[in-house]
Amino acid sequence: MKKTYLFAGTSIFFWSTVATLSKLLLKSYNNIQLLWISSLFAAIFLLVVNLVTKNIKRLKEYKPKDYLITILIGLPGTFLYYLFYYGGADRMLASQAFIINYLWPIMSVLFACIILKEKMTIRKMVAILLSFVGVVIVTGGEITQFNSNTLIGALLCIMGAVSYGIFTALNQKFYYEKRISMMLNCFVTFILTGIINAAKGDLFIPSPVETLGFLWNGMLAIGLATTVWAIALESGKTAKISNLAYITPFVSLLWTSLILKEKLNIWFVVGLVVIVLGIFVQMKDKTDKTKEPVSAAAER
C-alpha cells in the first residue's frame, strides 16, 4: 500500500507543476505550439512504456473501428482539453486558470447524465451550482466586471473542463486500455497541432533549456503522471486513491506562488474550496451508485 501512495503522490506532484511550467513556456509560445511538442514527448514516453511492458501487443487486437473510436474518444480528453486549458492559462494568472480547470469532475457528472443517461439529482444540481460559484470567486469579480482577458481565459478553461467531462463519460461508455489509448491520442494530437502550426507558419525548434521544459511537461506531467496514476489505481483502493487527485490544485497554488511569484490570493483558496466542496457534495449522493467524480479522478 505504501508503494501505491508513492505512485499517487508522484502523479500529484507532476500534475501540480503543470500550471507553473505551462505559464513559463507560454511566454515564448502559443497554446498550439506548447501542445505540439509536449504531446510528442508524451507520446514517445508512453510508446516506450507500452513497449517495455509488452502492452503494445494489444494493438494487434484492435480493428479499424477500435482505432477510430479510441481516437474520437481521446480528442476531447487530450487535444481539446489541453488546447483550451493552455489558451486560458495564457490569458490569466496560472493559479486562476488551474483552479477553474478543476471544474472537470463536475463536468464529468453533467455529461454522465447527458451521455450515459444517468439521473440528475438535486444534490448534483447543487454541486454544479457550487462549482460555478467557486469560479466566480476565483476570478475575484473580474468576470462580472467583464474584464475581457479574464473572461476569455475563464471561458477557455471552462471549455477545457467541458471537454474532459465529455472524455470521462465516453470512457465509461467505451472501454479501451488507458495507456494504449493515451499513447494513440498523444500521437494524434501531435499530428493535428503540427498541421495547424505548419499552416500558420508556427513550426519551431525549441532551445536546449526550453526542450527541458517541454520534456518535463510532456514526458513527466502528462506521460509519467498518467502512467503511475493508473498503476496506483490498479494496486490500491480506487475510491481512496482517486480522491487524492483533489490535492493537486492546492499544491499547484504553492508552485505558482513560489516560482511565478503570483500572490496567494485568499479568494483563490476560497473559490477552490467551494469548487472541491461541490465535488464532494455530489460524491455523497446516495442515489449515484457509479460516483462519477471518482471515475473521473481515476482517468486523471
Side-chain angles (χ1 to χ4, degrees):
M1 185 58 93
K2 287 182 179 179
K3 188 179 290 186
T4 298
Y5 283 106
L6 177 62
F7 287 143
T10 299
S11 294
I12 290 167
F13 169 76
F14 285 117
W15 280 334
S16 72
T17 65
V18 169
T20 300
L21 185 57
S22 61
K23 191 68 175 180
L24 290 172
L25 289 169
L26 284 166
K27 290 181 180 180
S28 302
Y29 303 103
N30 62 41
N31 59 328
I32 303 172
Q33 291 175 311
L34 172 55
L35 183 54
W36 180 47
I37 300 297
S38 295
S39 60
L40 172 62
F41 286 139
I44 292 172
F45 178 85
L46 289 164
L47 173 61
V48 172
V49 168
N50 285 312
L51 284 170
V52 170
T53 60
K54 298 182 179 179
N55 204 30
I56 201 76
K57 292 179 180 179
R58 289 174 180 257
L59 288 176
K60 294 180 180 178
E61 303 168 7
Y62 280 34
K63 298 176 181 178
K65 182 184 74 172
D66 296 314
Y67 283 102
L68 180 61
I69 293 174
T70 300
I71 290 168
L72 290 177
I73 290 173
L75 283 177
T78 306
F79 177 69
L80 292 178
Y81 169 70
Y82 283 107
L83 205 63
F84 286 136
Y85 169 66
Y86 292 150
D90 197 25
R91 291 168 173 80
M92 60 198 312
L93 292 175
S95 47
Q96 280 180 310
F98 199 76
I99 292 170
I100 294 172
N101 177 63
Y102 252 70
L103 281 175
W104 66 261
I106 289 299
M107 290 298 105
S108 71
V109 172
L110 180 60
F111 284 99
C113 294
I114 295 172
I115 296 173
L116 304 178
K117 308 300 181 185
E118 293 181 359
K119 185 178 179 181
M120 175 60 76
T121 64
I122 297 295
R123 190 178 285 270
K124 287 179 183 178
M125 287 189 281
V126 170
I128 292 169
L129 179 61
L130 275 173
S131 293
F132 278 101
V133 167
V135 169
V136 175
I137 293 172
V138 168
T139 56
E142 291 173 86
I143 263 188
T144 57
Q145 293 170 19
F146 296 100
N147 179 312
S148 59
N149 221 30
T150 302
L151 179 61
I152 293 171
L155 287 174
L156 286 171
C157 288
I158 290 171
M159 288 170 69
V162 166
S163 298
Y164 208 84
I166 293 171
F167 169 70
T168 56
L170 289 175
N171 256 309
Q172 291 180 61
K173 189 170 185 176
F174 304 96
Y175 178 80
Y176 289 96
E177 209 285 328
K178 298 298 181 289
R179 277 152 284 195
I180 289 289
S181 298
M182 190 68 178
M183 178 190 72
L184 292 174
N185 294 330
C186 285
F187 272 122
V188 170
T189 296
F190 168 67
I191 292 169
L192 290 176
T193 50
I195 292 171
I196 296 171
N197 282 321
K200 294 173 62 180
D202 284 344
L203 296 176
F204 67 97
I205 298 175
S207 69
V209 173
E210 290 168 341
T211 299
L212 291 176
F214 281 113
L215 280 168
W216 183 290
N217 197 49
M219 286 193 172
L220 302 180
I222 298 176
L224 177 64
T226 301
T227 301
V228 297
W229 184 254
I231 294 171
L233 290 172
E234 289 166 0
S235 58
K237 294 183 178 180
T238 301
K240 284 186 177 180
I241 299 301
S242 60
N243 288 342
L244 293 175
Y246 304 120
I247 297 172
T248 309
F250 293 97
V251 180
S252 179
L253 283 177
L254 294 178
W255 295 128
T256 56
S257 176
L258 291 172
I259 298 174
L260 299 180
K261 305 302 180 184
E262 292 185 359
K263 187 177 179 181
L264 196 57
N265 192 316
I266 185 63
W267 292 112
F268 293 1
V269 178
V270 172
L272 176 57
V273 169
V274 172
I275 291 172
V276 174
L277 177 62
I279 294 168
F280 281 99
V281 163
Q282 190 281 326
M283 288 171 64
K284 294 297 182 180
D285 194 335
K286 294 180 181 178
T287 65
D288 180 13
K289 295 180 181 179
T290 57
K291 297 186 179 179
E292 296 93 319
V294 173
S295 298
E299 298 296 333
R300 195 72 178 85

